[in-house]
Amino acid sequence: MTDIVTIPYIEGDGAGDDIWHASKEVLEESVQKAYGGKKRIKWISLLAGEKALAKTGELLPEETLQTVKAHQVAIKGPLTTPVGGGFRSVNVYLRQIFDLYVCMRPIRFLPGLPSPLKKPEHVNFIIFRENTEDLYKGIEWRAESKESLIFLTFLREKMGVSLTDDTGVGVKPISRTGTARFTRWVLDYAIKNNRKAVTVVHKGNIMKYTEGAFREWAYEVARGYADKLTFSGEKDKILFNDRIADNMFLQVILRPEDYDILLCPNLNGDYLSDACAALIGGLGVAPGANFGDNVAIFEPTHGSAPKYAGKDLSNPTSFLLCGAMLFRHINLEKAADILEYAIEETVGNKIVTYDLARQMDNVRPVRCSEYGEVIKKRIEQRA
Ligand code: NAP
């Protein structure tokens, strides 16, 4: 009898369409191959973002939320968020509503990928980003709005801080509770997966009571794992240390081999994710996942790249690698291995989309759909 693996998916806006269509059958074939037809994916299509707004008048229909909640996993393409005005990010809302407090973004060099580094093979670390707090909480008010004027008056009258009335203001909340549960999740992951080091990334020298506190609270939790962690480099234990965020941007370029897991507050983790993706070819190959205690949503680091919408050019590798992460999460390790191996072989043979080809010498790019077909065929032909 065939075991049905049900996976809800959100196609995404912009280039999300092309990426989904190039990836769907590759993901199906990975499962088919891995389990000799004994398991099969059943997709549930869900609406969110621009498509949901056009079809239902809502950015995030209740049915989408209920289905993700019921199945506890989903894979999603990127969703567009207008800059400066318009609606707030549906991506951020999804993370908040399901309390997906851990964002995981592996940064791993695959042989064959282009890189600005001399020794890119040293790049193999994971960025973990706290996903619910910090400036992403969305507590901010436009300059000269009623709310910002109330806030500015409060600051002036009660806190002795004087700012001009044309100041826009935002609040950066980082809590002990939020930091501690995030740190615990990541340390448990590090121990379970035999990782070598965990580095807290913060700007605590300047933002003492938010990012500085994040560092302190992370150490507080880490001290509770004294049998597994070391703060001084003891052998056979996981090294726990910290770096100031600006220095971290330099470290990942000059000494990537020294880093293994980066533990970041929300905004640092966001910035660092794109910068580190550049070390291994770019956003087209950077997968990610968001975990809470009940639900996990898998999504690429990249956005909807609207200028490439419908052009069949975008790189679906990030999305496919998200699929591999999802397979591991639901205990389909063999399908994940097969998929990752096929991607590595394809990239290793210089069969790549425009974003990678333009960084390589004499390589003709393939289309998004062609790339998916090549990988699918590679999986089909696997002994
Ligand atoms: P972006 O969509 O990530 O695109 C930035 C650039 O990265 C693209 O122009 C392209 O570079 C490259 N790129 C991104 N995805 C690629 C892929 N699959 N293959 C090859 N190259 C890729 O970032 P953005 O332009 O800043 O944001 C666009 C929209 O996406 C915004 O509305 C933003 O809010 C949203 N966004 C959503 C998510 C999410 O859904 N989780 C995350 C980030 C941003 P070149 O132009 O150099 O080829």
Side-chain angles (χ1 to χ4, degrees):
M1 216 176 69
T2 310
D3 182 11
I4 304 292
V5 182
T6 306
I7 306 177
Y9 75 95
I10 295 168
E11 211 170 86
D13 299 325
D17 250 21
D18 287 343
I19 290 173
W20 164 250
H21 288 108
S23 305
K24 176 179 176 281
E25 290 183 16
V26 177
L27 297 173
E28 288 168 359
E29 187 57 35
S30 305
V31 170
Q32 156 77 24
K33 189 73 182 186
Y35 306 101
K38 294 209 170 79
K39 288 185 195 287
R40 187 169 66 76
I41 299 181
K42 179 181 161 218
W43 300 106
I44 303 180
S45 169
L46 299 178
L47 286 171
E50 287 178 333
K51 283 188 189 125
L53 194 61
K55 287 198 181 150
T56 68
E58 283 179 284
L59 281 164
L60 200 49
E62 188 57 27
E63 191 189 336
T64 298
L65 295 175
Q66 290 308 329
T67 309
V68 174
K69 190 172 166 195
H71 291 275
Q72 300 186 306
V73 290
I75 186 164
K76 73 173 269 295
L79 300 173
T80 298
T81 312
V83 177
F87 56 82
R88 288 205 172 275
S89 168
V90 178
N91 304 303
V92 172
Y93 185 63
L94 268 171
R95 292 169 201 160
Q96 286 174 348
I97 203 158
F98 289 117
D99 202 14
L100 306 175
Y101 57 94
V102 177
C103 173
M104 174 183 186
R105 290 176 167 172
I107 304 287
R108 184 165 71 92
F109 176 77
L110 307 179
L113 283 175
S115 170
L117 297 185
K118 280 194 188 135
K119 293 187 176 163
E121 61 279 10
H122 288 160
V123 178
N124 184 6
F125 50 83
I126 307 175
I127 297 173
F128 281 100
R129 161 185 172 195
E130 200 290 326
N131 229 1
T132 58
E133 300 198 321
D134 203 341
L135 292 164
Y136 284 74
K137 204 85 184 171
I139 311 171
E140 57 169 9
W141 298 286
R142 193 189 297 276
E144 293 173 87
S145 63
K146 195 174 104 217
E147 294 83 357
S148 76
L149 292 174
I150 293 172
F151 196 64
L152 294 175
T153 307
F154 169 78
L155 286 180
R156 192 166 48 244
E157 291 179 357
K158 303 283 186 202
M159 312 300 282
V161 176
S162 220
L163 299 170
T164 57
D165 281 354
D166 61 354
T167 306
V169 282
V171 178
K172 180 179 172 78
I174 293 189
S175 70
R176 182 196 289 262
T177 310
T179 305
R181 69 171 179 172
F182 167 65
T183 304
R184 250 181 255 117
W185 197 103
V186 175
L187 292 182
D188 289 340
Y189 175 93
I191 292 163
K192 195 168 158 212
N193 292 279
N194 299 313
R195 303 297 299 205
K196 297 190 295 283
V198 177
T199 302
V200 184
V201 182
H202 60 89
K203 190 71 184 162
N205 51 333
I206 304 298
M207 293 172 266
K208 295 181 192 299
Y209 307 121
T210 49
E211 302 218 356
F214 178 88
R215 173 188 175 278
E216 247 169 63
W217 293 326
Y219 269 94
E220 221 170 72
V221 172
R223 281 193 284 275
Y225 287 73
D227 54 327
K228 303 279 188 215
L229 304 184
T230 170
F231 303 94
S232 58
E234 259 173 279
K235 247 183 107 210
D236 301 326
K237 286 189 174 181
I238 299 171
L239 178 64
F240 192 90
N241 58 13
D242 70 282
R243 294 285 178 271
I244 291 180
D246 32 354
N247 178 24
M248 194 69 237
F249 277 82
L250 173 143
Q251 297 285 322
V252 291
I253 294 168
L254 294 184
R255 302 171 64 175
E257 66 276 20
D258 288 357
Y259 297 93
D260 189 32
I261 281 181
L262 307 182
L263 187 92
C264 309
N266 210 337
L267 185 63
N268 289 344
D270 192 11
Y271 289 160
L272 206 49
S273 300
D274 278 33
C276 291
L279 306 178
I280 54 163
L283 284 172
V285 292
N290 305 292
F291 297 100
D293 290 334
N294 302 309
V295 169
I297 298 183
F298 297 77
E299 62 174 346
T301 297
H302 65 71
S304 55
K307 67 179 171 182
Y308 295 109
K311 297 208 168 126
D312 196 18
L313 291 176
S314 294
N315 190 346
T317 307
S318 313
F319 191 81
L320 288 170
L321 290 171
C322 287
M325 288 175 83
L326 186 154
F327 288 159
R328 288 196 198 289
H329 180 72
I330 56 175
N331 300 319
L332 302 181
E333 274 86 3
K334 203 167 168 204
D337 288 344
I338 286 176
L339 174 55
E340 285 178 350
Y341 188 67
I343 292 171
E344 287 182 32
E345 271 191 336
T346 307
V347 170
N349 285 333
K350 298 193 186 323
I351 299 169
V352 293
T353 45
Y354 85 94
D355 52 317
L356 302 180
R358 72 184 170 188
Q359 302 176 62
M360 299 157 97
D361 292 329
N362 306 317
V363 172
R364 186 189 70 82
V366 296
R367 293 192 162 270
C368 175
S369 52
E370 264 179 280
Y371 179 80
E373 282 157 22
V374 171
I375 298 189
K376 185 180 165 215
K377 199 163 285 165
R378 209 171 272 281
I379 296 170
E380 275 167 3
Q381 288 167 355
R382 207 183 132 97

